[in-house]
């Protein structure tokens, strides 16, 4: 180190002291210490003052006001370059208004005038042309903060500059063109410009330009081609997508080289989630198709399949399977998704047997029972274990009152116990009422025996081989009701499970074609449950003649309605013309007496289910329905429209349904009740819409007539299937004590639907109180029992929620099954509280295990640690945000609630699927390095 020179040190110290004294003086002046305020310049630091003077000098050089000949074009360009450099340096990251922008503000108009004064004669000189082009760039940046928003000055200057650069190119002056002319101005400028491009595009479309033709928008699209890659490479994927949506050129996203394995997931997530907010069905499908193509490009076939199913594009399935021909694990995982979504697809492949078994849910029963053993809930439960009557009675008097006399079995109470037993032990293969002996069967009357025999199907659910053996003996009973129950049980048993032998069709065919009324009803319902979503032609050919049958009174109409409903379930969301036209034809030809039948509503629901979630494809059928002259046409039209837009979140349809509810009528208000349920149906599965709908329901309860109020609890249930939200339970609990019988019964059943399969203790307590409150009301107590059965469904291991795959997909058969129950509730005393209680078994279509099981490649269990918590929305967030909050770590298998999400807690393995739900195949992580034991 060199020795310090004392003399130099003294000089430096003296200068520093001098400087600090000058600074103090300046500060004093700035604060107004000596009474003279020298304006804003006094508060500036020396660097700022220097920058301000430098910029002002440059502006006067560029404008050359006094027309000095010495100030040539190259000198003016040099001065402009200084301004450009300062601006670019300041605008690259904008946390506050950059100094150069601030200092150039007073000169904005002067520079604008200069730009307009450089005319076509002046720009014959290349230097002047470059000057005008660069000046346009500077003005575009200044206009971002100083121009009027509606004038879009920033864009106008940018386009003007672009024209000049194009002229330079033609003159061969390519070296003088700045390649990175847009990105170098910074992110904020690109965003501002993108906004103006969107406005300009819309203005041109309004002026008559054809949006499908690129020519009128060529200049704008050239800029879009620069801005989009810039956004994508700078982690602003959402803004890139927004800009492309604004200019209706979303397909350009597929040509972007900047999309790779690091950012495709964020882009696709944004596309899929934004699609819900698109009012135009074409825009919606375009967004989802773009996401689908991006996933395919990145070889993410599982996610591509999820999006294809969301669009309803089942033709894409075979293409995806052939794309991942070598990846057996991916194929298996895709088959598991198809099985959960109840898609009837057959893999045509060399090793297709195992894959087809997975799609056909052949191992579902085995896996479910294994989870039940793991969680130690195999012991059969009796209805009394669920009712817990000993807890319900509060006063000592009521306990003393019944001692002594024998307990009387009521047929209604036994029927309720049959359903509770069927729901609670669903899928477990054993119970304490039906499987040990036949005694319980004969504790029921007539149609009660039918439901009791059918409950075997629910208890043995998914286990077709063993189930048929146990049900077989009842098929040959001398009692028609028992036989009908056994036929229905065969259908229930096969729900969602594909079996090569097709037992349901083989056993039920003769009964559909037979003459016994009750057997016909049971066989139609059984086929509807067994083949829900399967779109099997041979089943359709069997049921169509029943729908077309000549009417000969109420019994025939019941058969017609149940066959129509079954066809709707089998072809759910398939828009099948044959089925649709047959049902509409039947409605047109039916007599008024037929259409007044309490079950005619199920014929309308069958038609609605055909178009479930298919939006505008139902328009033709709606037109056809208008020709029906009976009051049911209104109901049918509302059901069809709401089913078609189910889960779409379409605001216009919600407004339309609210409009229906605005009429004050007390008679013939069925269509209004359907409209209320429709509001819930349209907004389900979409958070913003659901919250808005809750508010609308509050208004309906306050201001509308009784029929509308009766449907509100059912609509609340649709929004929260198997999701016992505190506020909703509170609302339903209040409504369950309403003086109107039908309203309170609907609220009680809604409590059951909302808490289905969750064992929620709060709801259990509420239902016990209700069983006491309504102990003298037979209808109410039946509803309470059914709700208790739903609450403890599958001992808490199953869910009725049709929304799955991280809330992206809605399973058609599951939603259809729920709608059958909900539409039955619109007229409880003629359906569930009368002789059609067996319609409750349609719920088996919606029953799904709510477990997460991790398995090896050979489908054997592989327990790993997973974090389970509340799902958090991460759309458009930067970096790698947390996807769950308030998590707990468990070892698989684990149960998932309707709003919960799981993620792997170990890096040792990777999951083949991007969503951890149901059966998930794991593979070893090749990059995993175990931590050394320290």
């Amino acid at each position: 180190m060199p020795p310090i020179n004392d003399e130099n040190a003294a000089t430096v110290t003296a200068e520093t002291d001098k400087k600090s004294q000058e600074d103090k003086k300046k500060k004093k002046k700035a604060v107004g210490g000596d009474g003279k305020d020298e304006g804003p310049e006094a508060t500036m630091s020396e660097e700022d003052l220097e920058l301000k003077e430098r910029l002002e000098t440059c502006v006067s050089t560029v404008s050359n006001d006094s027309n000095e000949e010495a100030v040539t074009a190259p000198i003016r360009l040099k001065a402009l370059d200084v301004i450009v450099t300062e601006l670019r340096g300041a605008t690259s990251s904008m946390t506050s208004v950059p100094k150069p922008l601030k200092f150039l503000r007073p000169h904005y108009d002067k520079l604008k005038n200069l730009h307009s004064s450089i005319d076509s004669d002046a720009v014959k000189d290349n230097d002047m042309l470059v000057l005008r082009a660069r000046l346009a760039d500077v003005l575009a940046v200044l206009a971002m903060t100083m121009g009027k928003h509606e004038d879009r000055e920033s864009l106008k200057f940018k386009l003007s500059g672009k024209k000049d650069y194009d002229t330079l190119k033609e003159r061969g002056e390519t070296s003088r063109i700045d390649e990175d002319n847009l990105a170098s101005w910074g992110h904020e400028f690109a965003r501002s410009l993108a906004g103006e491009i969107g406005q300009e595009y819309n203005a041109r479309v309004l002026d008559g330009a054809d949006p499908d033709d690129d020519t009128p928008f060529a200049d704008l699209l050239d800029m879009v081609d620069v801005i989009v890659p810039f956004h994508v490479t700078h982690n602003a994927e959402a803004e890139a997508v927004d800009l492309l949506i604004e200019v209706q050129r979303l397909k350009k996203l597929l040509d972007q080289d900047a999309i790779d394995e690091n950012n495709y997931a964020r882009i696709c997530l944004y596309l899929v989630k934004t699609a819900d907010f698109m009012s135009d069905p074409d825009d919606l499908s375009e967004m989802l198709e773009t996401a689908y193509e991006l996933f395919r490009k990145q070889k993410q076939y599982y996610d591509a399949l999820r999006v294809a199913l969301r669009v309803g594009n089942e033709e894409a399935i075979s293409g995806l399977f052939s794309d991942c021909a070598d990846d057996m694990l991916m194929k298996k995982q895709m088959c598991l998704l198809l099985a959960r979504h109840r898609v009837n697809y057959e893999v045509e492949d060399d090793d297709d047997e195992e894959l087809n078994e997975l799609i056909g849910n052949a191992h579902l029963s085995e896996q479910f029972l294994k989870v039940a053993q793991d969680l130690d809930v195999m012991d059969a439960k009796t209805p009394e274990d669920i009712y817990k009557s000993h807890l319900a009675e509060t006063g000592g008097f009521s306990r003393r009152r019944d001692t002594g006399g024998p307990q009387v079995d009521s047929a209604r109470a036994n029927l309720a116990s049959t359903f509770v037993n069927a729901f609670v032990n669903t899928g477990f293969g054993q119970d304490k009422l039906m499987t040990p002996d036949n005694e319980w069967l004969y504790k029921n009357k007539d149609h009660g025996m039918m439901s009791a025999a059918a409950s075997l199907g629910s208890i043995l659910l998914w286990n077709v081989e063993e189930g048929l053996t146990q049900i077989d003996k009842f098929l040959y009973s001398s009692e028609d009701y028992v036989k009908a129950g056994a036929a229905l049980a065969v259908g229930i048993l096969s729900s969602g499970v594909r079996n090569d032998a097709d037992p349901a069709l083989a056993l039920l065919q003769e009964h559909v074609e037979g003459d016994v009324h009750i057997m016909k009803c049971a066989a139609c319902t059984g086929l509807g449950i067994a083949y829900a979503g399967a779109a099997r032609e041979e089943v359709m050919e069997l049921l169509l003649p029943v729908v077309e049958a000549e009417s000969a009174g109420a019994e025939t109409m019941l058969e017609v309605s149940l066959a129509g409903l079954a066809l709707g379930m089998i072809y759910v969301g398939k828009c099948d013309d044959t089925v649709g036209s047959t049902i509409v034809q039947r409605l047109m030809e039916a007599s008024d007496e037929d259409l007044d039948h309490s079950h005619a509503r199920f014929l309308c629901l069958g038609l609605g289910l055909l178009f479930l979630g298919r939006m505008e494809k139902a328009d033709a059928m709606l037109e056809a329905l208008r020709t029906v002259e009976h009051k049911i046409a209104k109901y049918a039209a509302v059901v069809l429209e709401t089913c078609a837009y189910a889960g779409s979140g379409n605001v216009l349809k919600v407004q339309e349904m609210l409009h229906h509810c605005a009429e004050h009528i007390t008679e013939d208000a069925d269509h209004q009740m359907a409209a209320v349920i429709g509001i819930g149906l349209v907004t389900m599965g979409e958070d913003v819409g659901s919250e808005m709908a809750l508010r609308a329901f509050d208004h309906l309860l306050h201001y509308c007539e009784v029929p509308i109020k009766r449907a509100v609890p059912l609509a609340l249930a649709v929004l929260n299937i198997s999701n016992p939200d505190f506020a909703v339970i509170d609302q339903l609990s209040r409504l369950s004590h309403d003086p109107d019988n039908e309203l309170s019964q609907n609220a009680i059943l809604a409590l059951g639907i909302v808490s289905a399969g969750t064992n929620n203790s709060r709801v259990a307590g509420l239902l016990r109180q209700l069983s006491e409150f309504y102990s003298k009301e037979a209808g109410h107590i039946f509803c309470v029992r059914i709700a208790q059965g739903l609450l403890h469904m599958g001992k808490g291991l199953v869910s009725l929620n049709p929304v799955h795959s991280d809330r992206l997909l809605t399973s058609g058969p599951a939603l259809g099954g729920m709608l059958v129950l909900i539409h039955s509730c619109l007229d409880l005393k003629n359906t569930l509280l009368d002789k059609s209680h067996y319609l409750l078994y349609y719920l088996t279509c919606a029953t799904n295990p709510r477990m997460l099981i991790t398995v090896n490649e050979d489908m054997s269990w592989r327990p790993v640690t997973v974090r389970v918590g509340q799902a958090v929305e991460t759309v458009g967030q930067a970096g790698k945000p947390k996807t769950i909050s308030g998590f707990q770590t468990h070892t698989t298998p684990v149960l998932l609630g309707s709003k919960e999400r799981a993620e792997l807690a170990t890096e040792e393995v990777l999951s083949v699927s991007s969503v951890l739900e149901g059966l998930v195949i794991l593979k070893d992580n090749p990059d995993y390095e175990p931590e050394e034991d320290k």
Side-chain angles (χ1 to χ4, degrees):
M1 193 172 160
I4 296 170
N5 186 330
D6 289 338
E7 205 171 87
N8 286 354
T11 317
V12 170
T13 317
E15 278 179 16
T16 316
D17 288 348
K18 202 174 175 187
K19 221 174 192 179
S20 62
Q21 278 173 356
E22 278 175 14
D23 283 353
K24 276 179 189 170
K25 273 182 193 170
K26 275 185 185 172
K27 273 184 188 167
K28 232 179 185 180
K29 276 184 184 177
V31 180
D34 56 358
K36 290 175 192 169
D37 187 359
E38 295 191 11
E41 288 191 17
T43 61
M44 288 186 205
S45 65
E46 277 187 12
E47 291 134 23
D48 286 359
L49 273 169
E50 190 192 334
L51 174 65
K52 187 167 187 280
E53 281 164 16
R54 191 160 71 243
L55 286 172
E56 282 174 350
T57 313
C58 290
V59 169
S60 61
T61 309
V62 170
S63 56
N64 191 14
D65 293 333
S66 48
N67 287 329
E68 291 174 32
E69 286 184 17
V71 183
T72 56
I75 292 174
R76 292 169 77 178
L77 259 176
K78 277 265 169 45
L80 190 57
D81 281 345
V82 173
I83 297 176
V84 168
T85 313
E86 289 293 347
L87 273 175
R88 278 186 179 167
T91 54
S92 56
S93 65
M94 281 174 78
T95 46
S96 57
V97 178
K99 295 270 168 40
L101 267 181
K102 219 182 205 167
F103 299 150
L104 287 169
R105 196 180 180 101
H107 307 291
Y108 177 57
D109 289 329
K110 185 178 181 181
L111 290 172
K112 255 170 73 175
N113 295 335
L114 171 65
H115 181 267
S116 52
S117 69
I118 303 174
D119 53 16
S120 49
D121 292 336
V123 294
K124 285 176 183 166
D125 174 23
N126 284 350
D127 283 343
M128 285 306 283
L129 186 59
V130 175
L131 179 72
R132 188 167 79 173
R134 292 270 171 86
L135 186 59
D137 284 344
V138 171
L139 283 166
V141 177
L142 296 180
M144 172 171 67
T145 54
M146 297 167 211
K148 285 181 184 157
H149 188 60
E150 61 278 4
D151 289 348
R152 297 191 282 282
E153 287 187 339
S154 196
L155 179 63
K156 280 176 187 161
F157 285 123
K158 201 74 196 159
L159 290 173
S160 151
K162 192 175 171 307
K163 276 183 194 156
D164 289 346
Y165 283 127
D166 289 344
T167 314
L168 276 172
K169 223 179 230 171
E170 285 163 20
R171 294 184 186 176
E173 292 276 340
T174 43
S175 58
R176 304 182 73 169
I177 299 171
D178 190 351
E179 280 303 315
D180 194 15
N181 191 19
L182 202 140
S184 56
W185 292 105
H187 188 243
E188 207 59 46
F189 177 62
R191 278 175 70 175
S192 163
L193 200 59
E196 294 193 2
I197 289 174
Q199 291 171 356
E200 177 66 24
Y201 179 88
N202 289 332
R204 291 188 193 181
V205 171
L206 289 173
D207 290 343
D210 178 13
D212 299 328
D213 182 12
D214 284 356
T215 321
F217 310 106
D219 50 351
L220 296 180
L221 294 178
D222 285 346
M223 293 177 80
V224 169
D225 290 339
V226 179
I227 294 175
V228 169
F230 172 72
H231 276 329
V232 172
T233 47
H234 288 77
N235 298 328
E237 297 90 348
E239 287 164 29
V241 173
D242 286 344
L243 175 58
L244 289 172
I245 292 170
E246 283 284 339
V247 297
Q248 298 178 8
R249 298 289 185 281
L250 196 57
K251 290 289 181 214
K252 280 180 180 281
L253 205 55
L254 300 174
D255 308 328
Q256 295 299 323
D257 298 329
I259 298 176
D260 55 21
E261 70 276 3
N262 300 319
N263 57 15
Y264 78 88
R266 286 215 295 277
I267 294 175
C268 291
L269 179 66
Y270 187 74
L271 283 169
V272 169
K273 293 287 184 184
T274 316
D276 288 335
F277 297 97
M278 291 290 155
S279 53
D280 185 357
D282 294 341
D283 291 347
L284 178 125
S285 57
E286 186 186 22
M287 290 190 78
L288 292 173
E289 276 160 24
T290 308
Y292 167 76
E293 291 296 342
L294 284 174
F295 277 133
R296 267 187 86 162
K297 265 183 150 180
Q298 296 297 328
K299 298 189 167 41
Q300 300 297 320
Y301 302 116
Y302 179 80
D303 286 309
L305 178 62
R306 289 174 65 216
V307 177
L309 292 176
R310 170 75 178 79
V311 187
N313 177 13
E314 291 184 11
E315 290 76 48
I317 299 173
S318 49
L320 287 172
F321 271 101
S322 54
D323 281 353
C324 61
D326 308 329
D327 191 347
M328 195 59 192
L329 292 187
M330 180 61 84
K331 277 188 183 177
K332 283 184 181 177
Q333 192 66 65
M334 284 160 70
C335 289
L336 289 166
L337 176 61
L338 292 174
R340 170 66 182 91
H341 201 59
R342 298 279 194 269
V343 177
N344 184 33
Y345 175 77
E346 284 200 29
V347 182
E348 290 160 10
D349 208 341
D350 306 335
D351 43 14
D352 59 353
E353 196 168 323
E354 188 188 357
L355 295 178
N356 281 328
E357 274 184 5
L358 288 177
I359 297 180
N361 275 321
H363 306 296
L364 185 59
S365 174
E366 181 192 325
Q367 297 283 10
F368 179 67
L369 291 172
K370 210 169 162 190
V371 172
Q373 279 167 348
D374 192 73
L375 299 173
D376 197 21
V377 288
M378 279 305 287
D379 295 344
K381 287 199 173 207
T382 62
E384 187 45 49
D385 295 337
I386 303 304
Y387 303 158
K388 296 193 167 78
S389 313
H390 59 283
L391 296 178
E393 293 169 348
T394 46
F397 170 73
S398 57
R399 286 207 181 88
R400 286 198 306 275
R401 188 183 56 200
D402 295 332
T403 52
Q407 286 290 315
V408 181
D409 272 351
S410 93
R412 175 62 63 85
N414 282 355
L415 179 62
S417 295
T418 297
F419 282 112
V420 172
N421 182 55
F423 290 151
V424 172
N425 296 303
T426 193
F428 281 87
Q430 54 178 16
D431 72 326
K432 290 187 177 170
L433 298 187
M434 285 302 301
T435 45
D437 53 36
N438 302 346
E439 196 183 322
W440 181 258
L441 195 60
Y442 297 102
K443 283 190 176 178
N444 288 281
K445 275 200 224 151
D446 302 345
H447 53 88
M449 288 163 88
M450 176 179 168
S451 275
S455 71
L456 271 172
S458 180
I459 293 159
L460 297 155
L461 188 62
W462 306 315
N463 190 349
V464 179
E465 306 292 329
E466 194 183 322
L468 286 172
T469 332
Q470 296 217 29
I471 294 164
D472 192 53
K473 57 179 184 279
F474 295 110
L475 280 168
Y476 305 104
S477 164
S478 54
E479 285 269 1
D480 273 347
Y481 283 108
V482 175
K483 233 160 113 179
L488 181 51
V490 172
I492 295 168
L493 178 72
S494 317
S495 171
V497 179
R498 208 162 60 190
N499 191 304
D500 294 339
D502 253 353
L505 184 58
L507 292 167
L508 300 183
Q509 186 163 359
E510 55 173 308
H511 301 310
V512 175
E513 291 165 345
D515 297 326
V516 184
H517 167 66
I518 192 67
M519 292 300 299
K520 230 173 181 173
C521 293
C524 289
T525 306
L527 287 170
I529 295 171
Y531 295 105
R536 292 280 295 271
E537 271 190 41
E538 53 269 53
V539 187
M540 172 175 77
E541 284 159 13
L542 189 62
L543 290 172
L544 280 179
V546 183
V547 179
E548 290 165 342
E550 283 295 315
S551 187
E555 283 195 351
T556 319
M557 194 56 200
L558 180 59
E559 290 164 14
V560 168
S561 302
L562 292 177
L565 177 59
L567 281 168
M569 281 297 287
I570 294 164
Y571 280 86
V572 64
K574 297 284 187 291
C575 310
D576 188 272
D577 284 342
T578 320
V579 179
S581 51
T582 308
I583 294 177
V584 171
Q585 192 70 24
R586 192 71 186 80
L587 286 168
M588 287 175 184
E589 291 170 1
S591 63
D592 283 1
E593 188 189 349
D594 282 346
L595 294 178
D596 285 335
H597 190 287
S598 58
H599 286 57
R601 70 176 66 249
F602 292 118
L603 201 53
C604 306
L605 179 58
L607 184 62
L609 291 177
L610 272 184
F611 295 92
L612 192 68
R614 284 284 169 267
M615 298 199 274
E616 77 288 355
K617 289 185 182 153
D619 291 350
M621 282 298 166
L622 273 172
E623 286 303 316
L625 278 176
R626 294 206 170 97
T627 58
V628 179
E629 287 170 7
H630 189 267
K631 65 182 179 194
I632 202 168
K634 254 185 177 180
Y635 175 81
V638 172
V639 170
L640 177 54
E641 203 164 355
T642 52
C643 284
Y645 285 87
S648 67
N650 190 310
V651 186
L652 300 174
K653 292 297 160 197
V654 174
Q655 287 172 352
E656 214 172 296
M657 294 307 129
L658 284 168
H659 196 71
H660 280 300
C661 299
E663 279 181 272
H664 287 281
I665 44 178
T666 47
E667 298 286 304
D668 301 338
D670 272 2
H671 67 284
Q672 289 189 326
M673 294 165 90
V676 177
I677 291 170
I679 295 170
L681 200 51
V682 172
T683 54
M684 72 180 292
E686 195 263 295
D687 294 337
V688 181
S690 308
E691 281 178 37
M692 306 273 280
L694 289 177
R695 194 153 163 246
F697 293 147
D698 269 347
H699 294 321
L700 295 181
L701 283 170
H702 282 141
Y703 305 116
C704 291
E705 301 297 331
V706 175
I708 291 178
K709 288 183 184 175
R710 286 174 184 162
V712 169
L714 301 172
L716 285 169
V718 171
L719 281 178
N720 295 278
I721 299 170
S722 290
N723 173 30
D725 183 67
F726 191 88
V728 173
I729 299 260
D730 218 36
Q731 176 77 292
L732 290 173
S733 172
R734 280 199 299 278
L735 294 174
S736 64
H737 292 83
D738 197 273
D740 181 73
N741 279 346
E742 288 175 48
L743 176 53
S744 52
Q745 284 171 357
N746 284 350
I748 293 167
L749 282 168
L751 274 172
I753 296 169
V754 168
S755 60
T758 61
N759 284 347
N760 186 289
S761 56
R762 187 159 174 264
V763 178
L766 289 172
L767 290 172
R768 274 202 302 276
Q769 287 168 12
L770 286 166
S771 71
E772 209 175 336
F773 185 75
Y774 288 118
S775 56
K776 298 279 185 291
E777 306 273 344
H780 283 80
I781 207 81
F782 182 77
C783 292
V784 172
R785 296 305 183 215
I786 296 296
Q788 285 176 312
L790 290 174
L791 165 66
H792 297 286
M793 201 166 190
K795 299 177 199 163
L797 300 192
V798 299
S799 162
L800 293 180
N801 197 347
V803 181
H804 65 103
S805 196
D806 208 6
R807 300 179 63 73
L808 175 69
L809 301 174
T810 304
S811 166
L815 185 53
M818 292 308 307
L819 286 175
V820 175
L821 168 61
I822 279 159
H823 279 270
S824 308
C825 293
L826 295 181
D827 186 11
L828 271 173
K829 60 175 182 287
N830 290 315
T831 54
L832 303 184
L833 297 180
D834 194 32
K835 294 180 183 172
S836 305
H837 38 74
Y838 53 84
L839 287 172
L840 274 169
Y841 287 120
Y842 263 113
L843 285 181
T844 44
C845 298
T847 307
N848 261 297
R850 61 186 188 97
M851 64 217 179
L852 162 63
I853 305 174
T854 45
V855 294
N856 279 315
E857 302 166 19
D858 59 355
M859 307 307 282
S860 59
W861 275 21
R862 178 173 186 173
V864 293
T865 50
V866 290
R867 290 188 282 265
V868 179
Q870 288 296 308
V872 177
E873 195 64 277
T874 57
V875 184
Q877 289 184 19
K880 289 189 175 175
K882 295 266 188 293
T883 54
I884 55 176
S885 72
F887 63 82
Q888 291 178 317
T889 306
H890 300 281
T891 304
T892 56
V894 353
L895 298 179
L896 295 178
S898 66
K899 292 235 171 132
E900 287 180 332
R901 189 182 280 163
E903 55 182 42
L904 290 171
T906 168
E907 290 177 7
E908 197 176 328
V909 288
L910 299 171
S911 63
V912 176
S913 88
S914 53
V915 179
L916 298 190
E917 273 178 37
L919 274 169
V920 174
I921 302 171
L922 299 179
K923 55 187 179 185
D924 291 318
N925 184 354
D927 304 330
Y928 176 68
E929 291 174 8
E931 289 180 21
E932 299 294 323
D933 292 330
K934 288 172 184 162

